[in-house]
Amino acid sequence: MILHADDIFRRAFLSGVLCLCAYAAWAQSAGDTFYSFLDLPSSTLAYGLGGINISNIDDDINATDRNPGLLGPEMGMQLGVNYMRYVGDSNFAGVKFGMKAGDHGAWAAGVQYFGYGKIRGADVNGVLTGDFSPKDIVLSATYAHDISDCWRGGASLKFISSSYDSYSAMAVGTDIGVNYYDPDRDFSFSAVVANLGGQVKRFESRYERLPADVRLGVSKGLGGVPVILSLTAHDLTKWHLPYYDNGDGSEDSKPQLKDNFASNLFRHLVFGADFRPSDNFRFGLGYNYRTRTDMSTYRRSILSGFSACLGLTVRNFALGVAMSQPHTGATTIMLNLSTSLYEF
């Protein structure tokens, strides 16, 4: 039997995904992780649809950051930039560029910066040592290839550098993703193994892990109605995701641990609805129950857990904005801009 290049790629890719799923299950069982900023999307579409979306089909290079299996040759020579004003004085920004690799493949390279503002430093005795600016930088390289007419797979390699005052660390991680898309039914299914890897240089003696995760997602158009509904399941290697309900803040109210079936189920799920009345305009809404419960306070915001995004295409530029209020004291805003350099 003679194997073609596509057959070899398909078999090797699927075998690798199975091995990495087993590794992710082991990694998540070990406890909490340190590099939580890796779970923040750089795409306004993903952020507006609940913060995690791996299956919504879009031709924007920024939208491939949650699933490398969404990258394709249709994004060749596309440049995307992003900016996010996060909680407090945190500011995040990045750039990504994609190129075709033949008729069935594509690659992309990007850099993402996470800055957390200035923090007053002090030693163990409380003596001030001056201000410092902690930051994380992620360099990424992605390759994707068509496995068949409907299936596509991809992988991203990430180099992570962290600098907090006089301490620094380095880590290497990878994302593996596949996507199945049927344009006739407007149906998309994706599976992603995210943030596999570990530190190659520690801050001190303690080893910090990456937030390894297994995710599944589906998106489905509604036929004659220009709406695409999405459902994403995350943290699939761990069923119990308990949290504390802080109550209403009254004297008799005490925090209560929530770990029942319903709370665990919905803390695994993210819901999204993408309204696309034309090729030049879109509006999306998302709901993330885990964000709402993790950020809950006595004065709970009715908007906590909800997010929204807006997209416009003007000539050969695609503009995106997303907004969320995870906490009563924090409103976050993300901006995207992408363009095809073929148009110039």
Side-chain angles (χ1 to χ4, degrees):
M1 181 178 62
I2 299 176
L3 293 179
H4 297 287
D6 287 351
D7 294 325
I8 295 174
F9 176 85
R10 183 188 303 113
R11 295 187 180 189
F13 187 87
L14 295 178
S15 298
V17 169
L18 292 176
C19 294
L20 292 172
C21 285
Y23 174 84
W26 170 83
Q28 282 236 327
S29 66
D32 294 333
T33 58
F34 180 79
Y35 293 88
S36 58
F37 59 88
L38 293 174
D39 286 332
L40 289 171
S42 58
S43 161
T44 54
L45 177 62
Y47 195 63
L49 296 181
I52 305 177
N53 188 287
I54 62 173
S55 58
N56 197 303
I57 302 298
D58 194 46
D59 59 358
D60 186 350
I61 189 72
N62 292 302
T64 65
D65 72 321
R66 297 295 89 186
N67 182 3
L70 296 179
L71 178 67
E74 67 275 6
M75 301 177 192
M77 287 294 289
Q78 189 174 144
L79 178 69
V81 296
N82 66 84
Y83 169 78
M84 184 177 191
R85 176 69 175 181
Y86 201 55
V87 178
D89 294 327
S90 299
N91 290 275
F92 310 148
V95 59
K96 181 177 287 188
F97 176 73
M99 278 285 292
K100 290 179 60 176
D103 294 332
H104 299 284
W107 63 264
V111 58
Q112 199 72 20
Y113 170 84
F114 301 85
Y116 310 103
K118 289 186 177 181
I119 297 178
R120 182 171 297 179
D123 61 20
V124 294
N125 298 315
V127 179
L128 297 179
T129 58
D131 295 342
F132 67 97
S133 300
K135 57 184 175 292
D136 297 292
I137 298 175
V138 180
L139 302 176
S140 64
T142 303
Y143 178 76
H145 193 276
D146 292 338
I147 302 173
S148 68
D149 291 340
C150 295
W151 285 93
R152 177 179 290 173
S156 293
L157 183 63
K158 300 180 288 189
F159 298 91
I160 306 153
S161 174
S162 301
S163 177
Y164 303 157
D165 197 11
S166 60
Y167 302 95
S168 63
M170 296 185 67
V172 177
T174 185
D175 297 339
I176 306 291
V178 294
N179 174 256
Y180 171 86
Y181 178 55
D182 183 347
D184 295 332
R185 295 191 298 145
D186 200 5
F187 173 80
S188 172
F189 166 79
S190 290
V192 173
V193 184
N195 301 322
L196 297 173
Q199 284 185 316
V200 295
K201 178 187 176 184
R202 307 180 184 186
F203 286 106
E204 287 187 301
S205 58
R206 178 177 173 178
Y207 177 80
E208 305 289 353
R209 297 179 304 104
L210 272 61
D213 191 14
V214 176
R215 301 164 181 169
L216 299 176
V218 293
S219 295
K220 181 67 173 70
L222 298 184
V225 181
V227 175
I228 299 174
L229 300 180
S230 295
L231 175 65
T232 307
H234 58 96
D235 287 299
L236 295 182
T237 62
K238 182 180 180 181
W239 168 251
H240 291 279
L241 297 175
Y243 73 97
Y244 279 94
D245 187 339
N246 293 314
D248 58 7
S250 62
E251 184 177 349
D252 297 331
S253 178
K254 296 181 180 180
Q256 294 183 352
L257 180 66
K258 299 292 185 179
D259 191 18
N260 55 48
F261 177 85
S263 68
N264 282 314
L265 174 63
F266 282 98
R267 278 170 63 81
H268 281 282
L269 302 178
V270 178
F271 303 88
D274 185 14
F275 176 59
R276 302 184 184 184
S278 73
D279 293 337
N280 298 323
F281 174 79
R282 74 189 314 161
F283 177 74
L285 289 173
Y287 180 71
N288 189 323
Y289 181 71
R290 185 170 183 179
T291 297
R292 181 174 179 83
T293 51
D294 282 346
M295 303 295 286
S296 65
T297 63
Y298 295 136
R299 295 180 57 208
R300 179 175 296 172
S301 169
I302 192 174
L303 298 177
S304 181
F306 289 95
S307 55
C309 61
L310 179 69
L312 296 172
T313 301
V314 181
R315 294 185 178 180
N316 60 317
F317 290 94
L319 310 173
V321 59
M323 180 178 174
S324 177
Q325 189 185 56
H327 189 274
T328 54
T331 299
T332 59
I333 298 176
M334 179 185 290
L335 302 173
N336 277 175
L337 173 65
S338 63
T339 185
S340 174
L341 300 184
Y342 282 127
E343 304 294 332
F344 292 93

